[in-house]
Amino acid sequence: MEWREIEEFWEGFIMVRRPTRAYHPPTNLYETEDEFVVMVAVSMADRESLRVVYEAGTLLIQGQRSEPEAEVPKRYHLIEIALGPFERRIVINAEIDPDGIRSTYTEGMLTIRIPKAKPREIEVRED
């Protein structure tokens, strides 16, 4: 049997399915004494496309995962890596310091550090 005959044989069995729902990257959220830490696995994401927004108690994480440009044409037989836009929303039900939120992107991992709000004493004044 020649290689082309083998490919033709398998073409009848192999179904390529593209993801039909929005991609939600795997995420870990943990808490320390001073902060919440969100880790989002976004390998293949374009760093320039990453967007982190905190508004009204919700952290919104958005971006774009792209495949590197290929020099040769391809014919897929299996697609399991979701490419394209992604989004993740995380509700933070705690008092935080939104001005102190910081994020870094290293080796495919987006890490967002959300400092907890510090208690503050309110001055009591006379009328």
Side-chain angles (χ1 to χ4, degrees), residues 50-95:
L50 294 175
R51 183 170 175 244
V52 178
V53 177
Y54 178 79
E55 184 178 18
T58 301
L59 186 67
L60 171 64
I61 303 156
Q62 295 177 317
Q64 177 83 22
R65 291 177 70 186
S66 303
E67 183 176 27
E69 291 296 319
E71 294 180 17
V72 295
K74 315 176 218 186
R75 193 176 80 199
Y76 283 98
H77 293 278
L78 180 65
I79 297 176
E80 292 184 339
I81 299 171
L83 299 176
F86 63 84
E87 180 175 295
R88 195 69 198 251
R89 290 180 190 270
I90 299 171
V91 176
I92 308 291
N93 288 323
E95 292 292 321

Side-chain angles (χ1 to χ4, degrees), residues 7-103:
E7 281 186 333
E8 289 173 0
F9 173 79
W10 280 110
E11 281 178 355
F13 293 98
I14 298 174
M15 291 181 54
V16 175
R17 294 185 182 187
R18 296 193 183 273
T20 56
R21 59 188 172 126
Y23 176 66
H24 299 284
T27 303
N28 288 350
L29 169 62
Y30 65 88
E31 177 181 359
T32 68
E33 187 175 319
D34 300 321
E35 66 184 356
F36 295 95
V37 179
V38 179
M39 298 177 70
V40 188
V42 289
S43 64
M44 298 175 70
D46 302 318
R47 187 174 126 340
E48 296 78 27
S49 77
L50 294 175
R51 183 170 175 244
V52 178
V53 177
Y54 178 79
E55 184 178 18
T58 301
L59 186 67
L60 171 64
I61 303 156
Q62 295 177 317
Q64 177 83 22
R65 291 177 70 186
S66 303
E67 183 176 27
E69 291 296 319
E71 294 180 17
V72 295
K74 315 176 218 186
R75 193 176 80 199
Y76 283 98
H77 293 278
L78 180 65
I79 297 176
E80 292 184 339
I81 299 171
L83 299 176
F86 63 84
E87 180 175 295
R88 195 69 198 251
R89 290 180 190 270
I90 299 171
V91 176
I92 308 291
N93 288 323
E95 292 292 321
I96 66 157
D97 174 12
D99 294 328
I101 298 174
R102 301 290 178 260
S103 65

